[in-house]
Amino acid sequence: GTTVLPGTVTSYGVPGGSPQLIGSLTTSVSTGGPHNISVKYGGDANYAPSTATLSVVALYPTTVSATVNPQGIVYGASVTVTATINTTNKSPSMTGSVAFYSSYSGNLTSGITQTSNTDSSGNTQIVAAVSYKPQNNDSIEVVYSGDTNYANSAQYTSVQVTTPDFSISSPPVVLITAGQTGTTTLTITPASNLSSTVMLACAGNLPMGSTCTITPSSVNLANGMAGTAVVSITSIGPSPAAMVVA
């Protein structure tokens, strides 16, 4: 069936050139989705009636509610971002997709879950979530794509990341005989009681042919207690004596 749209049509003629009659109508529709609108001119004593059809898409509005749990973490921990896409309509059910964008890590695509259900009032909604490990203080944008009945929407949320500080004792000088291995111990002392993991690796200018290892390669700090790691450096063997032939 057809429905006459509410509102008042305003029309006016355009002087000069070919005769024109322009009409406009500001109105609203009560349902979402695509709508075909027919425009009819009734004609007059000189001009015949005519009809034109145009298509418009009316979208129900949506809102995004986004939360991060936990809101603040120590570096290395995971957080879960949960987004709820809400509307005030019971049907049709919302479709479309939810995307998560980290200002530091980019598009978060791994492990996203998304379900469609209803809220306590029976309105259709979408709940989506993703877990990841923020590398720094981060802002996350949640974007709902929309569908043929519901408009797109977006919302920002954020997470605070604390990076615990620490200090490393200066190791003593190690004298190594050619071809032998020398060791020294590093002491890593946390600057707070926050738990953290310190990753260790050899760097710098080693003598040519020498190798360096640190055991363990990571030290877990907790409750203000220091940790230790052993540095082992193995030098290249001595050069063979030159042979002189008389």
Side-chain angles (χ1 to χ4, degrees):
T2 59
T3 301
V4 177
L5 294 176
T8 301
V9 177
T10 301
S11 60
Y12 56 93
V14 179
S18 301
Q20 288 185 337
L21 182 65
I22 297 177
S24 63
L25 173 66
T26 300
T27 187
S28 62
V29 294
S30 59
T31 59
H35 296 266
N36 291 323
I37 298 178
S38 296
V39 181
K40 295 182 178 182
Y41 168 61
D44 60 15
N46 297 300
Y47 297 98
S50 60
T51 301
T53 301
L54 58 91
S55 296
V56 298
V57 177
L59 300 175
Y60 295 116
T62 64
T63 58
V64 178
S65 174
T67 60
V68 178
N69 185 37
Q71 188 77 42
I73 62 166
V74 174
Y75 177 86
S78 296
V79 299
T80 299
V81 185
T82 303
T84 304
I85 318 303
N86 296 298
T87 184
T88 56
N89 287 77
K90 293 179 171 57
S91 65
S93 296
M94 262 193 291
T95 58
S97 60
V98 180
F100 298 85
Y101 299 96
S102 158
S103 62
Y104 191 88
S105 304
N107 190 9
L108 305 176
T109 58
S110 178
I112 293 179
T113 62
Q114 179 174 322
T115 58
S116 298
N117 49 39
T118 57
D119 62 17
S120 58
S121 299
N123 298 315
T124 182
Q125 70 174 191
I126 290 175
V127 177
V130 66
S131 295
Y132 80 113
K133 291 183 178 182
Q135 302 300 298
N136 209 331
N137 291 341
D138 207 356
S139 176
I140 306 100
E141 183 185 20
V142 180
V143 179
Y144 168 58
S145 66
D147 62 17
T148 55
N149 295 294
Y150 294 95
N152 63 335
S153 54
Q155 180 65 49
Y156 282 91
T157 187
S158 61
V159 58
Q160 300 295 315
V161 179
T162 300
T163 302
D165 198 6
F166 61 89
S167 61
I168 299 180
S169 62
S170 298
V173 175
V174 180
L175 299 177
I176 307 172
T177 303
Q180 302 299 309
T181 299
T183 63
T184 187
T185 299
L186 299 177
T187 300
I188 302 95
T189 303
S192 69
N193 289 328
L194 295 173
S195 298
S196 64
T197 300
V198 178
M199 309 300 294
L200 301 169
C202 296
N205 298 319
L206 290 172
M208 182 178 296
S210 298
T211 60
C212 173
T213 59
I214 301 180
T215 306
S217 59
S218 63
V219 176
N220 295 319
L221 303 178
N223 301 318
M225 301 296 293
T228 59
V230 176
V231 180
S232 300
I233 300 176
T234 302
S235 68
I236 192 170
S239 299
M243 180 178 293
V244 178
V245 179

